[in-house]
């Protein structure tokens, strides 16, 4: 009895180790890290606190918003560090940057330190926002490499949880701190950092093993995430209709946490299935075969155990010094889908088109999202309703990311529908949302928030998936981060130089009508539909131009998407898949 109990505990212990070190638990840990990686989308809630406590005008606030977007999108340092360091180191750097940046902003807004200069506030928010690139590079890029054939689905799920991050953290801060947006900044500082530290050693690159039911598992994750998004949307609507007490928010956070644990159950279930398959395979081998394998390990007939050919890794290492320089191969680009070097990808026409399209697409969407607080204020909405706009953006940001991942993957697999064409269609949809803010009617800002969130989320998933498909996965850590460099440039021009300045001009006209000057008021505020009309017409026109330019990429990649873009990864994973099928057959 005692020996049996000890053996049983040993089995449980070994199974627990397999779960924690397995691919599926790594995916679950990536989900949670992504939940904390979207805190920058909450700027629309706490930006009013920064503006009022620091006495900024709208141009200065938009400048801070630009540096937030700059930090969030300049991920090249994170990509380059990830090329030469382990994943745990990347996650730890991100955790430290997140806490230090947002904690300093919280100290400044609450008056616990002397009021910083504008450039210092810009530096703080840039550092804090830059942390999400380390979380993305550590968790998202690693997951894509672990599931290369399901990259569109994987990117959609992971970026979807980033989209839900704003709504989830809004519920947490309302439950813990009440309607105190200053405390939201503190929550943004410690919460994402804590998640990364907890799972720092869980996420790592593993051997690609294609499971026959892999896509079905991802759909199970999808169903859970949709249930979470729908629950958050219902709660958001109820908050608009009723005044929630603190206990109601505590109840909603409890449900959110319960739903976030369901993917863990799915991961454990899949690891348990693999555990049983391994045991069946071990039991199907006779003791004589085991003895022969121990005596003659080289004579194993499994392809995975054969010695590597002499022309593989050793000769690659020896010839590395004699290989041509990356500068000499810049214009000798491989076919689409093969591994490009960093310079080959960055200097390609395809990347240039993506850069131009996302300059206006992501730039316009981020400009609208960052100004939601002031848009609601200018149209006379109360603070609680403005929080509803931000939550709607966050929730539909999720739906956009998931839709772009799963639907585009299905369209590519079944009908060879170019993913680049879906990007063009999303940009056209974004134009509609921008025009609804330029010409607001009753309830149009709610619909515009939905469109903005959906279009922004879909753009990101499509952009990162297209980059992985066109330029390969070898340098994806860096190319993934280079692909979003257009976003901060777009937000600087569109948000700071256009939207912010036009808003301030309208506010100064209002002051002049009242016989006042800028020095007469601490905070420069504009009220009325004209505050954002000109700027959002410009944003809509720029986004339409980006959609037209993206059609050039559609034409260039049409033949590429007609082929089997995942054939290479399917061939590489075939030996491992054969082993798994054999294990399944042996257990029957």
């Amino acid at each position: 009895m005692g020996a049996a109990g000890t053996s049983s505990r040993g089995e449980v212990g070994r199974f627990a180790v397999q779960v924690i070190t397995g691919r599926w638990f790594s995916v679950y840990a990536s989900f949670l890290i992504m939940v904390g990686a979207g805190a920058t989308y909450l700027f629309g809630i706490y930006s009013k606190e920064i503006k009022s406590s620091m006495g900024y005008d709208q141009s200065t606030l938009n400048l801070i918003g630009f540096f937030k977007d700059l930090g969030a999108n300049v991920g090249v340092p994170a990509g380059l560090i990830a090329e030469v360091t382990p994943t745990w180191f990347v996650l730890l750097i991100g955790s430290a940057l997140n806490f230090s940046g947002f904690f300093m902003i919280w100290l400044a807004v609450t008056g616990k330190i002397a009021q910083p200069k504008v450039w210092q506030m810009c530096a703080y928010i840039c550092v804090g926002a830059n942390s999400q690139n380390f979380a993305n590079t550590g968790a998202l890029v690693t997951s894509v490499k672990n599931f290369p054939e399901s990259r569109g689905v994987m990117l959609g799920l992971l970026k979807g949880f980033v989209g839900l991050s704003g709504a989830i953290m809004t519920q947490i801060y309302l439950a813990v701190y009440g309607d105190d947006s200053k405390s939201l900044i503190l929550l943004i500082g410690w919460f994402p950092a804590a998640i990364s530290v907890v799972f720092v050693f869980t996420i790592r690159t593993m051997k690609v093993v294609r499971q026959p039911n892999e896509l079905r598992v991802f759909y199970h994750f999808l169903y859970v995430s949709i249930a979470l998004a729908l629950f958050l949307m219902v709660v958001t609507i109820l908050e608009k209709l009723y005044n929630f007490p603190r206990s109601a928010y505590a109840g909603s956070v409890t449900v959110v946490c319960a739903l976030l644990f369901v993917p863990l159950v799915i991961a454990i279930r899949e690891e348990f299935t693999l555990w049983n398959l391994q045991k069946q395979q071990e039991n199907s081998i006779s003791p004589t075969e085991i003895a022969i394998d121990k005596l003659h390990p080289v004579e194993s007939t499994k392809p995975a155990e054969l010695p590597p050919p002499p022309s593989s890794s050793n000769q690659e290492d020896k010839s590395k010094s004699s290989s041509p320089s990356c500068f000499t191969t810049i214009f000798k680009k491989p076919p689409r889908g093969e591994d490009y070097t960093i310079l080959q990808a960055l200097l390609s026409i395809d990347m240039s088109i993506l850069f131009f399209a996302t300059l206006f697409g992501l730039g316009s969407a981020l400009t609208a999202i960052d100004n939601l607080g002031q848009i609601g204020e200018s149209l006379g909405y109360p603070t609680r309703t403005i929080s509803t706009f931000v939550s709607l953006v966050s929730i539909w940001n999720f739906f956009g990311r998931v839709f772009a991942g799963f639907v585009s993957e299905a369209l590519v697999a079944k009908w060879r529908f170019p993913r680049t064409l879906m990007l063009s269609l999303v940009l056209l949809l974004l134009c509609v949302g921008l025009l609804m803010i330029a010409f607001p009617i009753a309830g149009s800002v709610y619909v515009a928030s939905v469109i903005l969130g959906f279009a922004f989320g879909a753009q990101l998933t499509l952009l990162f998936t297209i980059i992985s498909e066109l330029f390969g996965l070898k340098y994806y850590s860096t190319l993934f981060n280079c692909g979003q460099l257009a976003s901060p440039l777009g937000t600087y021009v569109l948000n700071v130089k256009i939207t912010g300045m036009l808003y301030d001009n309208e506010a100064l006209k209002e002051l002049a009508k009242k016989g006042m000057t800028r020095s007469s008021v601490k905070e420069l505020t504009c009220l009325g539909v004209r505050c954002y009309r000109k700027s959002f017409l410009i944003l809509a026109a720029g986004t339409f131009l980006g959609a037209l330019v993206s059609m050039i990429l559609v034409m260039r990649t049409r033949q590429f998407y007609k082929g089997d873009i995942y054939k290479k990864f399917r061939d590489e994973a075939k030996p491992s898949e054969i082993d798994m099928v054999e294990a399944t057959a042996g257990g029957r």
Side-chain angles (χ1 to χ4, degrees), residues 70 81 96 128 150 187 202 259 269 283 326 334 372 415 441 463 476 564 573 576:
L70 180 69
I81 290 173
S150 304
L187 178 69
T202 302
L259 289 172
R269 183 197 67 191
N283 295 334
C326 61
L372 266 182
W415 292 289
I441 57 176
L463 172 65
Y476 187 54
D564 187 355
S576 299

Side-chain angles (χ1 to χ4, degrees), residues 54 88 111 124 132 201 212 261 279 304 323 416 420 502 519 569:
M54 300 287 115
W88 62 264
Y124 295 154
Q132 80 174 39
F201 293 112
F261 273 104
K279 291 183 67 175
S323 62
R416 302 292 190 259
T420 47
L502 290 175
S519 58
F569 301 99

Side-chain angles (χ1 to χ4, degrees), residues 275-394:
W275 172 265
N276 286 332
L277 288 176
Q278 291 172 3
K279 291 183 67 175
Q280 291 171 8
Q281 187 178 23
E282 292 172 1
N283 295 334
S284 66
I285 301 175
S286 65
T288 306
E289 290 174 323
I290 296 174
I292 292 174
D293 286 341
K294 289 181 178 180
L295 289 172
H296 306 287
V298 182
E299 296 177 5
S300 173
T301 58
K302 284 191 177 182
E305 296 176 1
L306 291 174
S311 60
S312 59
S313 59
N314 292 335
Q315 289 197 351
E316 284 178 8
D317 294 337
K318 290 179 182 178
S319 63
K320 194 172 286 185
S321 59
S322 61
S323 62
S325 169
C326 61
F327 293 100
T328 63
T329 60
I330 291 177
F331 300 106
K332 298 178 182 178
K333 298 180 177 63
R336 289 190 180 94
E338 298 298 323
D339 291 325
Y340 280 54
T341 66
I342 296 173
L343 290 177
Q344 284 176 338
L346 294 182
L347 297 178
S348 67
I349 296 176
D350 293 347
M351 184 67 86
S352 300
I353 295 173
L354 282 172
F355 183 89
F356 186 86
T358 54
L359 177 74
F360 288 102
L362 292 177
S364 297
L366 273 174
T367 297
I369 292 171
D370 285 348
N371 284 275
L372 266 182
Q374 285 67 46
I375 291 170
E377 181 185 38
S378 68
L379 297 177
Y381 289 101
T383 302
R384 186 176 294 274
T385 302
I386 293 172
S387 298
T388 302
F389 295 153
V390 175
S391 293
L392 283 174
V393 166
S394 180

Side-chain angles (χ1 to χ4, degrees), residues 79-91:
L80 293 175
I81 290 173
E83 298 285 358
V84 296
T85 61
T87 305
W88 62 264
F89 185 74
V90 175
L91 291 175

Side-chain angles (χ1 to χ4, degrees), residues 149 416 559-568 570:
E149 282 191 67
R416 302 292 190 259
Q559 292 300 322
F560 170 71
Y561 280 104
K562 283 183 178 179
D564 187 355
I565 61 177
Y566 293 149
K567 183 178 184 299
K568 179 178 70 172
R570 195 175 296 112

